[in-house]
Amino acid sequence: MIDLRSDTVTKPTEEMRKAMYEAECGDDVYGEDPLVKKLEDKAAELLGKEAALFVTSGTQGNQIAVLTHCQPGNEVLLEEEAHIFYYEGGAISAFGGVQTRTIKGNRGAINPNDVRNAIRSEDVHLPETGMICIENTHNRAGGAIVPIENMREVYQVAQEHNIPVHLDGARLFNASVELGVPVTAFTEHTTTVQICLSKGLGAPIGSLIAGSESFIKRARKWRKRLGGGLRQVGVVASPGLIALTKMADRLKEDNDRARRLAEGIRNIRDLKINNRVDTNIVLVDTEATGKSVEEILDLLKSNGILAVPFGPTTIRFTTHHHISDEDINQTLSTFQQLFDTVKK
Ligand code: TLP
């Protein structure tokens, strides 16, 4: 199978599996797992923050950020298709007791003036704005890179009002290798950040959140409350360290393959590319085929290709380290067999 459903499907490399086998372990709730400590220190250093915390998933990391920054009754500002709003099962309200206020973005970027206008003033009737979220790269905007300048402006507005900015950086390394800048170029415009090790970076499990020492101390308590305090977790921190230190540079290949896939699909009549392919996600509009998304996904599956539905007429394809040039060729030739090809 050519599995283009998500970069979450990546399996640990040989080097990661070996490191897992050999991992030195300790009880991390007692703060005694040496590899977790090493991973958290490395992440804090790379992300330019005082401290970091290893968490089980991107969702848990984002939710711990919400719980740590906000009080029940607060309002969180975020882009209208942000993962925290769209894909986390309403956790932000279920656990945090906060409400969301969404802002329509442009390729995932929220306009700083819209943010300024959405921040609540001091009034007995109004909720307090507890936090602002940015997502980079932006998943539903097709892996779009939110410009660093936009992040700087949003952060400035937030700082004027003393509101924390949290970055959902599940795929932040895809953006940093694409622009050829360190991840700190993005994270310097945020109060806290969440990065995923288990997407393009290829680790089997885990995310990190990073911020100030005092934020991470409070976040650690939230992680424990949520049942996320783990014990001999060095076995998953060890592949995480490899992911963080050795797997980022190769993400450029994933971004380039996604662009090649999009270029090929552009030559297929009735299919349209819906996004500018900045990184490893390609959104294909299938409306003109006259077939439903489910029918097309079934057809692709019977030809050995997996992708995911992403809207009534949209399919998402995501590249990652198990997808080779040959897989892209095969995917494109399958499309050519299934649909008419014309030069557009
Ligand atoms: N995204 C998954 C699905 O949940 C949609 C995917 O296949 O893309 N932030 C962003 C921007 C994400 O894309 C994801 C995962 C998460 C957070 C959550 O990470 P996990 O799956 O580790 O909880």
Side-chain angles (χ1 to χ4, degrees):
M1 278 288 176
I2 300 175
D3 194 343
L4 292 155
R5 286 174 302 169
S6 182
D7 46 13
T8 59
V9 302
T10 46
K11 298 192 178 122
T13 61
E14 282 303 308
E15 187 184 1
M16 289 179 186
R17 288 170 193 271
K18 193 159 177 286
M20 289 169 87
Y21 181 74
E22 290 169 355
E24 197 187 327
C25 293
D27 187 327
D28 187 46
V29 176
Y30 288 129
E32 289 172 5
D33 191 293
L35 287 167
V36 173
K37 281 189 171 168
K38 201 167 160 190
L39 176 63
E40 290 176 342
D41 289 349
K42 188 72 203 168
E45 178 198 322
L46 281 174
L47 296 166
K49 301 290 180 200
E50 284 174 13
L53 180 71
F54 187 46
V55 295
T56 52
S57 67
T59 302
Q60 191 185 63
N62 284 336
Q63 293 306 321
I64 289 175
V66 172
L67 289 161
T68 309
H69 283 308
C70 298
Q71 299 295 322
N74 280 179
E75 185 168 75
V76 170
L77 298 182
L78 69 188
E79 203 279 329
E80 70 175 4
E81 292 200 306
H83 194 278
I84 293 179
F85 175 71
Y86 202 100
Y87 282 126
E88 298 188 7
I92 185 167
S93 316
F95 303 133
V98 299
Q99 67 184 38
T100 50
R101 183 155 184 204
T102 57
I103 297 175
K104 188 170 176 48
N106 174 18
R107 305 189 69 249
I110 45 178
N111 184 309
N113 285 328
D114 293 343
V115 173
R116 193 187 300 278
N117 293 336
I119 291 173
R120 303 290 194 161
S121 56
E122 188 67 43
D123 182 312
V124 72
H125 299 91
L126 304 177
E128 262 173 53
T129 308
M131 151 180 174
I132 298 164
C133 293
I134 297 176
E135 184 175 314
N136 207 356
T137 64
H138 194 291
N139 185 347
R140 291 216 39 103
I145 299 177
V146 173
I148 293 170
E149 182 54 19
N150 173 266
M151 290 185 62
R152 195 187 62 74
E153 288 171 5
V154 170
Y155 190 46
Q156 197 176 324
V157 172
Q159 281 181 310
E160 285 163 19
H161 294 83
N162 219 1
I163 298 169
V165 172
H166 173 68
L167 171 63
D168 177 353
R171 298 187 178 85
L172 187 62
F173 286 92
N174 288 78
S176 85
V177 298
E178 190 56 39
L179 299 187
V181 297
V183 280
T184 46
F186 301 91
T187 59
E188 68 176 320
H189 307 300
T190 69
T191 317
T192 56
V193 52
Q194 180 276 121
I195 54 158
C196 288
L197 302 171
S198 65
K199 311 249 165 345
L201 297 180
I205 296 173
S207 284
L208 288 137
I209 46 178
S212 67
E213 291 275 4
S214 75
F215 171 86
I216 292 299
K217 192 166 175 229
R218 287 176 293 126
R220 193 176 290 280
K221 181 118 184 178
W222 270 114
R223 186 186 70 173
K224 189 74 182 80
R225 287 184 181 126
L226 294 175
L230 302 177
R231 304 296 179 172
Q232 283 68 32
V233 75
V235 285
V236 283
S238 56
L241 260 169
I242 294 168
L244 195 60
T245 55
K246 297 191 179 172
M247 297 291 284
D249 288 348
R250 62 149 309 286
L251 294 173
K252 183 81 176 79
E253 283 177 40
D254 298 344
N255 298 348
D256 290 342
R257 288 196 180 100
R259 273 187 287 270
R260 206 159 70 72
L261 179 65
E263 281 319 306
I265 292 175
R266 271 185 227 285
N267 289 328
I268 307 207
R269 201 185 66 192
D270 294 345
L271 293 180
K272 219 175 85 196
I273 299 297
N274 258 356
N275 61 322
R276 188 181 86 196
V277 183
D278 287 351
T279 57
N280 66 330
I281 292 177
V282 180
L283 302 183
V284 179
D285 188 324
T286 57
E287 187 169 16
T289 63
K291 289 185 168 55
S292 72
V293 159
E294 290 69 30
E295 280 175 295
I296 295 177
L297 287 172
D298 282 348
L299 270 173
L300 288 174
K301 192 173 180 182
S302 57
N303 282 277
I305 295 161
L306 298 176
V308 288
F310 220 57
T313 61
T314 310
I315 296 178
R316 185 187 78 171
F317 296 83
T318 307
T319 54
H320 51 77
H321 79 93
H322 302 311
I323 300 296
S324 63
D325 285 332
E326 182 42 40
D327 292 331
I328 299 293
N329 294 343
Q330 208 176 311
T331 305
L332 288 173
S333 66
T334 303
F335 268 121
Q336 279 153 9
Q337 281 156 28
L338 297 177
F339 302 98
D340 290 338
T341 309
V342 286
K343 281 268 171 277
K344 284 195 273 199

